[in-house]
Amino acid sequence: MKFTRGGLAAVLAGVTLIASAVPLKTDVAHSSVSAVFKQMNVPVESKFKSFNAQIDYDAAHPEKATARVDIDTASFDIGEAEYNKEVAGKDWFNSAKFPKATFVSSAIKPAGAGKLSVSGKLTIKGRVQDVTFPVTIKPEGGKQVFEGQLPIKRLAFNIGEGEWKDTSMVADEVVIKFRVAAGQ
């Protein structure tokens, strides 16, 4: 499934979601993925317009859940067409060479009522890191809502090359935030 901003301001770092033996359909209108970072020490939140989530989740067996999220890196919307083109360029996401950022779960464990601990591999710009992050699950409108945040260091993924390696303009710390509503 491919989601667009019309229904979804879309994922990741990856990206990042949850899922077991029951494939869920994502509710595009009630899902989003964004990146929060500081530019010149001012917090900025920008959304990805397009991602593909494959989530299998069974509340009775959360340890059997699986998730894969592919984010279209060229869909990052920083709010201005010129800037969007720049962040899709070689120094930032290099979307021509690396069109997708991907998260693939390797383990999902219960972490208390309405909570999961999710582990997996996050791949951005050809670089892979093992990540673990908490996710909350809550029912909403007949669907399951998965929400979480994944802090990353952008330079670990080579996001911001050349003069952009200087973190005085754009901080190294980035938080990938997601909210995915999904149901049968």
Side-chain angles (χ1 to χ4, degrees):
M1 291 177 239
K2 187 158 184 163
F3 304 105
T4 61
R5 187 164 202 195
L8 172 69
V11 170
L12 161 92
V15 303
T16 44
L17 297 184
I18 320 319
S20 159
V22 181
L24 301 177
K25 182 176 178 176
T26 300
D27 178 351
V28 176
H30 296 98
S31 301
S32 64
V33 177
S34 61
V36 180
F37 56 94
K38 288 188 178 178
Q39 184 171 347
M40 297 188 323
N41 213 28
V42 175
V44 175
E45 183 168 356
S46 296
K47 298 185 178 193
F48 289 89
K49 293 181 186 180
S50 178
F51 78 89
N52 179 340
Q54 299 166 353
I55 302 170
D56 291 330
Y57 179 75
D58 178 353
H61 301 284
E63 70 284 353
K64 294 180 181 178
T66 63
R68 178 186 174 103
V69 178
D70 295 304
I71 300 167
D72 179 358
T73 60
S75 76
F76 193 59
D77 185 4
I78 209 159
E80 168 89 29
E82 182 179 328
Y83 296 139
N84 292 350
K85 185 177 178 181
E86 174 144 350
V87 296
K90 187 177 182 215
D91 285 347
W92 291 97
F93 284 116
N94 195 358
S95 297
K97 185 173 181 182
F98 303 102
K100 303 285 181 205
T102 303
F103 171 78
V104 178
S105 67
S106 57
I108 298 175
K109 300 176 184 174
K115 297 179 182 180
L116 298 171
S117 176
V118 178
S119 298
K121 295 202 178 292
L122 178 63
T123 305
I124 304 173
K125 210 173 174 183
R127 297 199 175 187
V128 181
Q129 280 194 350
D130 291 318
V131 296
T132 299
F133 53 94
V135 171
T136 61
I137 305 172
K138 62 184 177 186
E140 185 177 289
K143 295 181 176 49
Q144 295 287 335
V145 176
F146 302 91
E147 292 183 299
Q149 298 184 9
L150 171 60
I152 66 168
K153 302 281 188 178
R154 69 176 176 87
L155 294 177
F157 293 96
N158 216 21
I159 300 170
E161 296 182 52
E163 68 181 299
W164 296 110
K165 282 190 176 186
D166 177 2
T167 57
S168 65
M169 288 291 286
V170 178
D172 192 20
E173 295 78 22
V174 175
V175 176
I176 300 167
K177 290 175 47 176
F178 61 90
R179 179 186 198 280
V180 175
Q184 296 300 317

